[in-house]
Amino acid sequence: MIKLINAALAIVAGVGGMLALFWILNAIVERLPGRWEERLKPYVFIGPAVALVGLFLVYPAVQTVIYSFADKNSQKWVGFENYKALWNDDNFRSALLNNLLWILVVPAVSVVIGLLIAVLADRLRPTSEKVAKSVIFMPMAISFVGASTIWRFVYDTRFAEGDEQIGLLSAITTGLGFDPVSWLRLDAWNVNDFLLMAIMIWLQAGFAMVLLSAAVKGVPEDTLEAARIDGANELQIFFRVVVPQIWPTVIVVFTTVLILVMKVFDIVYVMTGGNADTDVVANIFVEELIEFGDDGRAAAVVVVLMIAVIPVMIYQVRRFRMQEAGR
Amino acid sequence: MTQAAPTVDVDPMGGEGQKPPRAQRFTLGSVVVRATVALLCLLWLVPTIGLLVSSFRSEEAVKEDGWWTVFASPLEFSQWTLDSYDSVIFDQGMGSAFLNSIVVTVPATIIPIMIAAFAAYAFTFMRFPGRDLLFILVVGLLVVPLQVAFVPLLRLFSQYELNGTFLAVWLAHAGFGMPLAIYILRNYMASLPHEIIESAAVDGASHFRTFWSLVVPMSVPALAAYAIFQFLWVWNDLLVALLFLGAGENEVVTINLRDLIGDLGQEWHLLTAGAFISMVLPLAVFFALQRYFVRGLTAGSVKG
Amino acid sequence: MATVRFEKAQRWYPGADTPAVPGIDLEIEDGEFMVLVGPSGCGKSTTLRMLAGLEEVNSGNVYIGDRDVTKLSPKDRDIAMVFQNYALYPHMTVADNMAFALKMAKVPSEERKVRVREAAGILGLTDYLDRKPKALSGGQRQRVAMGRAIVRQPQVFLMDEPLSNLDAKMRVATRTDIAKLQADLGITTVYVTHDQIEAMTMGDRVAVMNFGELQQVDTPLSLYDRPNNRFVAGFIGSPAMNFLEGEMTDGGLRIGDYDLPVPRDVLQKATDGVVVGVRPEHFEIASDNNGIPIEVTLVEELGADAYIYGTTDVQGTPGHLVVRGLARRDVAKGSTVYVSADAERIHVFDKATEKRLN
């Protein structure tokens, strides 16, 4: 109860405080002579946001780069030692490879499934379409931890003689006469990685579907009709008329999922803890930070992540510029 | 031509009878279509159903055989029980974690929206030196992994003894959510008719007034969309909570659930109830406000 | 109520190579309906927006009455503006839309109500005061936008293409409504349009602009009868004026085999040849073969009269000519007719400077 009251107070104080801040700053600026008012007002409006972004993203990012060249408590400089240590760490290298697999597979499969549902459901009756889409979209609301719990009931395996399988996947495979397999330890052909990725795809396909569906519905009807009159069959229409027109959205979805995948650690952290060759870079960061308390290494891991993100960032900014130019 | 606030004209979730003759859009065998969609839906639903069903079964039952066996005799009510919920909520602390999650989530959703709305207004409707550069920075930060912030912030917070407090997570979420909030809101505001803002200026409204009386009411769809987005994100977050709040008195549902998985890995019945409790609120919010959410997602990224 | 005066007002958009409006000088009298007209990109909207305060004035001054408003923000200028898209506030009712500016000016709520009712009465919006803009037709929205301006009782009305979103019929009806309303209220009005018919029918005076410069400011009829230069001549009037070139002779212009008399003193002013403009209605079909031969490609029968479109290969003519003829004369497509110009009503322009010579 006390907690709830505290929360209510916090909300009132936080929101009210922000409002008061804006109001007071605005009142002060409005008292200034005309020119100065016009000049300063924008900074009153963006000030708090810039302060937050500066304090919570820009400053820490710079600081993190600095820490990555220092020892675990940032007491002395170690040059590139942290990076060297990471590079020589087999686990880290395998995590890099795993990450590469993740960022290729997850966005691509999410896009394909999302597009498939978007296009197919478009042909159903309105109610069925709505239901089908809600079902696919629903996992968006579920946390990675929650999803991991859900999927434990799929991937669990029992080995003891006479035990029934309570994991769905094992129940199916043993039902078909195969021996029970410990799915998440199965690192041949990266099977366990793919099983973890399935969880991510399960979570993200709905997002892809929503955006792609909007794009597909936005394709002007007359271009389809024109193609039909020009003698194209439905498949040709899809690949030659629809897909090119929704391509920008496909790219947007792909990059958005890709960025999310790069940052994701929860699934691996909860499901396998990075064992059996399933580690990813974001999880190594948490390991270094919490388990080993090595801030220098952890910072170096983040810097690697940041560098990996730079191409996406450049692409994002360029896309934004083009979008603005066309506005 | 109209001055109504712009909306996405098609509802990507479909339905509402607003389907033009799309039935004839593609004419491939509709049986195949229906079967494929049905199969995918089933695939998507089954894991969740398994969790839901299991959470109402007794401990022995959960551990002994698969949840699907209940469908042999679903009406045998003796097999259903709320024991797992009882145990998770009261013995494992999920109840208080649920309250903590609310305490964390509500302010962490409202505060950044307000701050971002002011900033988005300035980025859209005001001219000032450095505007474009600052906004490009915001766009760039959209993709920066928030892991960059943790090491320095942990130290900063510990200097002020903020680690483990709600204030720390509120601030952190407000900061981390800012780029996306500004980006979504600015994109939306930029699609409002510029003339309305000019008209307000001619009518004698100050920027502050224009913001509150015109831009905020007209931006409700985007504000709602971002609010849902941030709510889900904060509620479902494990990373920020793990590092700044940790386990203990103030722990939130994701942390509690992680502990259930980690410490009581074999207590399957508790896991199911715990997971389901952690999902209830976001799922409810999600289904109630799905429309806004979808609209916000599409408005935010489909443009261009 | 007030006069409006631009003194060398310049607008140069940041980053542009040339100014959008290099420096405009214009005086608008108290109570006058002034129309700014020109092709798109001619700077007419920019000029209006400088007056509104929505566009910075880089140099020069703008006055409303005796007040120098150059540096004032829009809200301090005592103006009201009607926008092309009306810019109605979508979440407010018609009444709230109209009262918004009054509220900003801290007018007491009783008086607000009275003034809104009054304006709504004038515009026939009384029954719609509680509706939201979304529930109104295009014409009604346009009137709400007008109403928003009227309730202000400002010194100057500014209108930026307020009719261009209406359908053709509505546009004609609203055109006269606005002109009449303005005459009744007697408020100085600056009206921007690209439609020269609107300009001709509504304005007390019309300012024709091109490339950011004023070409001519005059009453509609003077613009039509005595255009200052070739641009104005071509812009005002529909179908547009025909321009002919020919060989200068003593006391005239020779176009093919046709002699067009032009006074000698006019020709002498020319620096390098002349261009003669003839409006379609100032051609007549010559009874004999004394005229410019044109081959008829199209006849537009309008009932009251007819426009004959034809081509000609005579040197110096534009190739295409439009001639107004009498209706129902059965001029056959493909036939050749000879046309001669009314020498009293021709417009002579200098070929190089494009200025009027006669």
Side-chain angles (χ1 to χ4, degrees), chain A residues 5-19, chain B residues 107 111:
Chain A
I5 294 168
N6 271 343
L9 281 180
I11 296 168
V12 172
V15 176
M18 284 320 302
L19 271 187
Chain B
I111 294 174

Side-chain angles (χ1 to χ4, degrees), chain A residues 64 124 129 228 269 324, chain B residues 12 19 25 148 155 186 258:
Chain A
T64 295
L124 299 176
E129 179 183 0
R228 213 163 278 149
Y269 176 76
E324 285 305 291
Chain B
K19 274 197 177 176
R25 222 173 137 149
V148 299
R155 295 190 181 180
R186 197 212 78 117
R258 180 212 54 163

Side-chain angles (χ1 to χ4, degrees), chain A residues 98-125:
Chain A
N98 284 337
N99 255 60
L100 193 64
L101 209 55
W102 275 75
I103 62 175
L104 290 178
V105 173
V106 175
V109 177
S110 300
V111 165
V112 170
I113 292 181
L115 192 54
L116 188 68
I117 303 269
V119 171
L120 293 185
D122 197 34
R123 299 192 221 169
L124 299 176
R125 265 174 293 127

Side-chain angles (χ1 to χ4, degrees), chain A residues 250-302:
Chain A
V250 171
I251 300 288
V252 169
V253 171
F254 193 94
T255 44
T256 310
V257 177
L258 183 141
I259 288 166
L260 193 67
V261 166
M262 277 184 162
K263 299 192 262 196
V264 97
F265 89 107
D266 322 42
I267 294 177
V268 173
Y269 176 76
V270 172
M271 292 295 277
T272 66
N275 293 323
D277 227 357
T278 55
D279 226 343
V280 291
V281 175
N283 191 49
I284 289 187
F285 164 74
V286 176
E287 284 166 12
E288 294 288 356
L289 187 59
I290 297 185
E291 281 166 42
F292 307 130
D294 191 333
D295 290 4
R297 287 258 193 108
V301 173
V302 176

Side-chain angles (χ1 to χ4, degrees), chain C residues 293-308:
Chain C
I294 61 173
E295 192 185 332
V296 179
T297 53
L298 179 71
V299 180
E300 262 181 12
E301 270 291 355
L302 298 175
D305 40 33
Y307 286 103
I308 299 160

Side-chain angles (χ1 to χ4, degrees), chain A residues 46-64 67, chain B residues 115 134 137 141 146-157 159-160 162 167-168 170-179 244:
Chain A
I46 61 164
V50 167
L52 270 178
V53 169
L55 182 62
F56 287 91
L57 287 169
V58 179
Y59 151 76
V62 174
Q63 198 57 278
T64 295
Y67 286 157
Chain B
I115 294 174
L134 275 175
L137 179 71
L141 286 173
L146 50 98
Q147 277 91 344
V148 299
F150 289 119
V151 180
L153 279 187
L154 278 171
R155 295 190 181 180
L156 189 70
F157 281 166
Q159 256 176 41
Y160 297 93
L162 283 174
L167 187 60
W170 289 334
L171 286 173
H173 277 304
F176 298 154
M178 202 51 53
F244 293 138

